[in-house]
């Protein structure tokens, strides 16, 4: 008698054991399929959010950015970004390039203040580079080229400083040369990013 016949007869001899084993295998496989689908969905959603809301498809930084972006920004300042932008735009697949300045410092309203981290973007190309950047807008309106002093703030930050849409804020920071800098901005909207990060 062949091994196949022996195995088959063994399966038929105890049908309850065979059916329970098959049910356990089917349940295990279905759980793997569901878990993989759930994980793939989360991963796709996160990557889509990163590309279309936060970073774009490609970020170009100075080669020493990670080394000096906190301690000595003057060493990584890209002063001639327009020629670099023109060179990148020669590629037929590139639709837009958006210069961005990262910054941090103190943000305050009246007698309240806290630290902040944010960025200033070129509003003319913002919606092309980041088409979903306003997807997480929870109050107010999006930024426009006619309002260069408008800002979007994170909902958690707005809550901690009791900020409302239309309020005037003071930003204290430093230039790439290490000099102190301050500016007045107006809150045009509030956004939220999981897990309700402050911007």
């Amino acid at each position: 008698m062949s091994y196949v016949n022996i195995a088959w007869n063994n399966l038929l001899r105890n049908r309850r054991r065979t059916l329970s084993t098959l049910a356990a295998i089917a349940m295990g496989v279905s759980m793997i399929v569901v878990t993989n689908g759930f994980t793939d969905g989360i991963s796709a959603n996160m990557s889509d959010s990163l590309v279309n809301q936060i970073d774009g498809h490609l970020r170009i930084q100075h080669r020493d950015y990670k080394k000096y972006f906190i301690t000595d920004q003057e060493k990584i300042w890209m002063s001639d970004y327009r020629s670099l932008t023109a060179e990148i735009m020669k590629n037929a697949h590139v639709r837009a390039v958006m210069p961005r300045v990262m910054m941090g410092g103190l943000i305050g309203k009246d007698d309240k203040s806290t630290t902040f981290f944010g960025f200033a973007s070129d509003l003319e190309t913002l919606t092309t580079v980041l088409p979903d950047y306003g997807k997480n807008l929870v109050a107010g309106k999006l930024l426009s080229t006619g309002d260069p002093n408008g800002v979007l703030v994170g909902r958690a930050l707005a809550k901690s400083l009791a900020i409302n849409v239309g309020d005037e804020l003071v930003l204290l920071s430093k230039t790439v040369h290490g000099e102190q800098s301050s500016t007045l901005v107006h809150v045009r909207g509030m956004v939220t990013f999981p897990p309700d990060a402050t911007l």
Side-chain angles (χ1 to χ4, degrees):
M1 186 178 285
S2 69
Y3 288 115
V4 174
N5 289 334
I6 293 174
W8 181 254
N9 290 332
N10 189 37
L11 291 174
L12 295 178
R13 185 175 39 211
N14 192 336
R15 295 185 180 183
R16 182 178 295 175
R17 180 190 64 191
T18 301
L19 291 175
S20 62
T21 302
L22 289 175
I25 292 173
M27 182 174 289
V29 171
S30 64
M31 289 300 295
I32 291 172
V33 170
V34 170
T35 302
N36 284 345
F38 181 72
T39 304
D40 288 346
I42 291 176
S43 178
N45 189 45
M46 288 178 64
S47 62
D48 184 65
S49 297
L50 183 66
V51 169
N52 294 320
Q53 293 182 25
I54 301 171
D55 259 354
H57 287 82
L58 176 68
R59 179 192 287 188
I60 297 177
Q61 297 173 333
H62 191 282
R63 63 186 173 196
D64 293 326
Y65 178 81
K66 293 186 186 232
K67 186 176 180 181
Y68 295 113
F69 81 101
I70 292 178
T71 58
D72 197 349
Q73 294 181 347
E74 190 170 6
K75 290 184 178 178
I76 57 171
W77 174 248
M78 300 172 72
S79 57
D80 189 22
Y81 72 89
R82 287 186 178 87
S83 63
L84 180 59
T85 298
E87 191 65 30
I88 295 171
M89 288 299 295
K90 290 179 182 178
N91 188 314
H93 300 288
V94 176
R95 295 175 54 201
V97 177
M98 181 185 70
R100 174 184 281 179
V101 177
M102 312 296 279
M103 68 182 79
L106 287 175
I107 184 171
K109 175 195 170 190
D110 299 331
D111 59 342
K112 295 182 179 178
S113 65
T114 188
T115 56
F116 82 98
F117 177 77
F119 48 85
S121 303
D122 182 358
L123 294 178
E124 291 184 1
T125 56
L126 178 59
T127 54
T128 306
V129 175
L130 303 176
D132 295 338
Y133 93 96
K135 195 172 184 180
N136 293 322
L137 186 74
V138 293
K141 63 181 181 179
L142 297 178
L143 303 177
S144 67
T145 54
D147 184 19
N149 291 327
V151 295
L152 299 178
V153 297
R155 183 168 59 179
L157 175 61
K159 185 177 180 181
S160 69
L161 294 180
I163 295 172
N164 296 307
V165 174
D167 285 352
E168 186 176 72
L169 304 176
V170 177
L171 302 183
L172 298 175
S173 188
K174 66 176 184 176
T175 69
V176 294
H177 306 297
E179 302 163 348
Q180 293 299 317
S181 173
S182 64
T183 186
L184 293 176
V185 296
H186 298 88
V187 178
R188 298 304 178 217
M190 297 179 194
V191 293
T192 182
F193 290 101
D196 205 10
T198 58
L199 295 177

